[in-house]
Amino acid sequence: MRSDLSGLRVTIVGLGLIGGSLGLAFRKTGIRRITGVGRREESWKRAVSLQACHVGTTSLEEGVRGANLVILCAPARQILALLSAISPFLEKGAVVTDVGSTKEAIVSALNELPPTVQVMGGHPMAGKELGGLENAEAGLFTGRPFVLCPLKRTSPGTVALIEEIVRRIGALPVIMDAACHDRAVSRISHIPYVTSLALYNLALSGRLAGDPDFSLASSGFRSATRLARSPEEMSLDILLTNSDNIAAGIRRLEEYLHQFASRIEKGDVSWLKDQILRARTALDGEAED
Amino acid sequence: MRSDLSGLRVTIVGLGLIGGSLGLAFRKTGIRRITGVGRREESWKRAVSLQACHVGTTSLEEGVRGANLVILCAPARQILALLSAISPFLEKGAVVTDVGSTKEAIVSALNELPPTVQVMGGHPMAGKELGGLENAEAGLFTGRPFVLCPLKRTSPGTVALIEEIVRRIGALPVIMDAACHDRAVSRISHIPYVTSLALYNLALSGRLAGDPDFSLASSGFRSATRLARSPEEMSLDILLTNSDNIAAGIRRLEEYLHQFASRIEKGDVSWLKDQILRARTALDGEAED
């Protein structure tokens, strides 16, 4: 089934890397009415000139009224605030979704919207080292999982519509419970972010002690700490809206590291070998996924 | 000063990524006699055909006799074993150096060589995700720091010669104390390696619990865990020959993570913001170095 998406009136709130890329990708599907809402006039004007949206505004009310699909593209805590703010302006039957990095808190807030609108949580597993509208591209979602979290109140028609849109932009829709999503991303994204901060902190302690840490750092260090370059607001919002999972994961990591240090001190070759090989086996498994 | 290196008779023991790349780079400097020592006939023959050396052998004795520069390119514990093994065959006045990932233990072992030879520890801060001779390239060292650890017994002439060779292959010689090197690389390389194993371990625990960790993982996770792809033997040797620094660094990391988890649980926004910004400031500083 390929539905005709041309009648959709889509509003994208937030015109950064993800919002801009969605706009570019949507245009390629034949959607003819994309409104971009930016915080500053400059933002939506640039989005229009980059063809990430057809028209733009700085007014949430103006942007949301008349839309039958509203997508919130912002850091998680901003999405929570936006949901309250747009609520009075939503048309009956409009579908509201988002691309926030964490899902439980957002899905709860989506559930508070009037029963006259449809709701769905979303999270495209796609990104880039450099954020911002200027790095947006239509192909950002190609081949990437796009997590969708329907609520109990979400109609089957809404699920089907969003799945169809996700497929049309080249992504792979993955229906998932918000709690399961938040646990998984805590381990594959949020805790790796925290460790990258921790590794920086450690290297800084070396610099303060007069050691040449940063000047010797090569590509391995840059890879291991790449996530520390994530946008600040997005990162802070992740830490604050997925705190239980992240804290629990950090505790596990601590225990593991504690054991690792003891085994190194004991020179426990067979345990260390085993750990090295376990990760390599996982690498092979990952390639299969 | 550009010395004429054409009279050097160089022997490279170990024909992997680094040994092979050194051979390719040396040829470009005009060195006309490079002998490759491989564990298997196949290895040195491939190195000869790739022009990483002029001739080859599987015999350490044959490879080392007659050489006036011997470079050991192997995992750290193998270098320690090789130093004992080559000792009886070294010509008077020969210079022995290495490219091992850790330096204190190797520098101590270099010091045990007969006083008739010259010694110098070395470590090029260059690498690649994919190891092995087939990935060797002459440009691997271009613009990268190449740490040199002279011993008390090392003559000024030997220091100057090795510095000159390092410059000729496009690298930046950095004279450094072995202890300082090992502390610094524990923080910028060895502990990031350990955290990448720890992150895999954590993601594996998610998979075992039925969560979709690996299937959602995107480029951020791959960057954060790239170091887990390091060659097994090299990694194990690093853990075993830099154990004090690595264990001490892990303890520091543990403390930091412990505090991080508490602050997340408390929702301490200003502390978390500060940590995020500290890493970003370090990133800016790193770019300057």
Side-chain angles (χ1 to χ4, degrees):
Chain A
M1 179 197 82
R2 277 177 72 88
S3 333
D4 180 13
L5 304 180
S6 65
L8 278 180
R9 297 181 307 278
V10 179
T11 291
I12 298 173
V13 180
L15 299 165
L17 174 68
I18 301 294
S21 297
L22 279 178
L24 292 168
F26 285 167
R27 270 178 94 122
K28 293 206 166 179
T29 68
I31 295 175
R32 284 183 303 207
R33 175 77 184 188
I34 303 169
T35 303
V37 181
R39 267 197 277 202
R40 288 164 301 129
E41 196 172 292
E42 200 184 301
S43 317
W44 69 255
K45 285 195 168 164
R46 204 166 28 161
V48 169
S49 73
L50 292 170
Q51 309 207 299
C53 54
H54 299 95
V55 294
T57 174
T58 56
S59 156
L60 264 185
E61 175 168 2
E62 199 186 315
V64 167
R65 278 202 200 281
N68 50 20
L69 176 60
V70 176
I71 308 181
L72 305 178
C73 302
R77 290 193 306 165
Q78 277 180 43
I79 290 175
L80 297 174
L82 285 168
L83 284 170
S84 311
I86 64 171
S87 182
F89 313 132
L90 292 165
E91 302 277 313
K92 193 181 162 198
V95 176
V96 180
T97 186
D98 79 295
V99 299
S101 312
T102 58
K103 295 270 61 75
E104 277 198 277
I106 290 171
V107 161
S108 291
L110 283 167
N111 204 29
E112 299 301 313
L113 289 182
T116 50
V117 303
Q118 283 292 313
V119 289
M120 169 85 95
H123 183 206
M125 306 307 293
K128 261 183 166 184
E129 191 156 355
L130 295 171
L133 180 59
E134 58 278 19
N135 294 299
E137 48 173 311
L140 188 68
F141 311 101
T142 309
R144 299 297 313 150
F146 197 124
V147 173
L148 299 175
C149 305
L151 282 72
K152 275 189 192 149
R153 59 184 268 189
T154 310
S155 74
T158 299
V159 177
L161 173 70
I162 304 284
E163 281 189 300
E164 169 75 5
I165 294 173
V166 163
R167 271 189 220 102
R168 289 279 192 93
I169 63 168
L172 312 166
V174 182
I175 302 281
M176 195 179 291
D177 174 61
C180 172
H181 168 274
D182 285 5
R183 281 197 310 270
V185 292
S186 76
R187 290 181 297 248
I188 57 163
S189 171
H190 308 165
I191 292 163
Y193 171 74
V194 174
T195 61
S196 77
L197 294 185
L199 292 174
Y200 258 110
N201 202 277
L202 192 67
L204 277 172
S205 74
R207 175 190 269 181
L208 291 174
D211 283 342
D213 290 36
F214 289 106
S215 62
L216 293 186
S218 73
S219 59
F221 185 70
R222 274 194 299 279
S223 286
T225 55
R226 201 197 92 177
L227 282 168
R229 293 171 195 267
S230 307
E232 294 153 31
E233 236 177 315
M234 189 184 84
S235 302
L236 182 63
D237 282 15
I238 285 171
L239 298 176
L240 295 170
T241 59
N242 200 15
S243 50
D244 290 353
N245 288 319
I246 297 172
I250 292 176
R251 307 270 189 231
R252 263 189 112 128
L253 209 64
E254 265 181 70
E255 280 168 35
Y256 181 80
L257 291 172
H258 192 78
Q259 192 180 8
F260 211 102
S262 308
R263 300 289 181 154
I264 287 177
E265 283 170 333
K266 282 180 202 146
D268 188 339
V269 176
S270 76
W271 189 89
L272 294 170
K273 254 191 192 161
D274 192 53
Q275 296 306 305
I276 293 170
L277 292 173
R278 255 168 77 96
R280 292 198 69 88
T281 310
L283 284 163
D284 296 341
E286 185 198 12
E288 284 160 27
D289 276 335
Chain B
M1 177 196 85
R2 278 177 71 89
S3 334
D4 181 12
L5 304 180
S6 64
L8 278 180
R9 295 181 309 277
V10 179
T11 291
I12 298 173
V13 180
L15 299 165
L17 174 68
I18 302 294
S21 297
L22 279 179
L24 292 167
F26 285 166
R27 270 178 94 123
K28 294 205 163 179
T29 68
I31 295 175
R32 284 183 302 208
R33 175 78 184 188
I34 303 168
T35 303
V37 180
R39 266 197 278 201
R40 288 163 302 131
E41 197 172 292
E42 198 185 303
S43 318
W44 69 255
K45 284 196 168 163
R46 205 164 29 158
V48 169
S49 73
L50 292 170
Q51 310 209 298
C53 54
H54 299 96
V55 293
T57 173
T58 55
S59 156
L60 265 183
E61 175 169 2
E62 198 185 315
V64 166
R65 277 202 199 282
N68 48 22
L69 176 60
V70 176
I71 307 180
L72 305 179
C73 303
R77 291 193 304 165
Q78 276 179 44
I79 290 175
L80 296 174
L82 285 168
L83 284 170
S84 310
I86 63 171
S87 183
F89 313 131
L90 292 165
E91 302 277 312
K92 192 178 162 202
V95 176
V96 180
T97 185
D98 79 297
V99 299
S101 312
T102 58
K103 295 270 61 77
E104 277 198 277
I106 290 171
V107 161
S108 291
L110 283 167
N111 204 30
E112 300 302 312
L113 289 182
T116 50
V117 303
Q118 283 293 313
V119 289
M120 168 85 94
H123 183 206
M125 306 308 292
K128 260 184 165 184
E129 191 156 355
L130 296 171
L133 180 59
E134 58 278 19
N135 294 299
E137 48 174 311
L140 188 68
F141 311 101
T142 308
R144 301 296 314 151
F146 197 124
V147 174
L148 298 176
C149 305
L151 282 71
K152 276 189 193 152
R153 59 183 266 191
T154 310
S155 74
T158 299
V159 177
L161 171 71
I162 303 284
E163 280 189 302
E164 169 75 5
I165 294 174
V166 163
R167 269 189 221 103
R168 289 280 191 94
I169 62 168
L172 313 167
V174 183
I175 302 283
M176 195 178 293
D177 173 61
C180 172
H181 167 274
D182 285 5
R183 282 196 309 270
V185 293
S186 77
R187 290 181 297 248
I188 57 162
S189 172
H190 308 165
I191 292 164
Y193 171 74
V194 174
T195 62
S196 77
L197 293 185
L199 291 174
Y200 258 110
N201 201 278
L202 192 66
L204 277 173
S205 74
R207 175 191 267 179
L208 292 173
D211 283 342
D213 291 37
F214 288 107
S215 61
L216 294 186
S218 74
S219 59
F221 184 72
R222 274 193 298 280
S223 287
T225 55
R226 202 197 92 178
L227 283 168
R229 294 171 194 267
S230 307
E232 295 154 30
E233 235 176 316
M234 188 184 84
S235 303
L236 181 64
D237 282 14
I238 285 171
L239 297 177
L240 294 170
T241 58
N242 199 15
S243 50
D244 289 352
N245 288 319
I246 297 173
I250 292 178
R251 307 272 189 229
R252 261 189 113 128
L253 208 64
E254 265 181 70
E255 279 168 35
Y256 181 80
L257 291 172
H258 191 79
Q259 192 180 10
F260 210 103
S262 308
R263 300 289 181 153
I264 286 178
E265 283 170 333
K266 282 180 201 147
D268 189 338
V269 176
S270 76
W271 191 88
L272 294 170
K273 253 189 192 163
D274 192 54
Q275 296 308 304
I276 293 170
L277 292 173
R278 255 167 79 95
R280 293 199 69 89
T281 310
L283 283 162
D284 296 343
E286 184 198 10
E288 283 160 28
D289 275 336

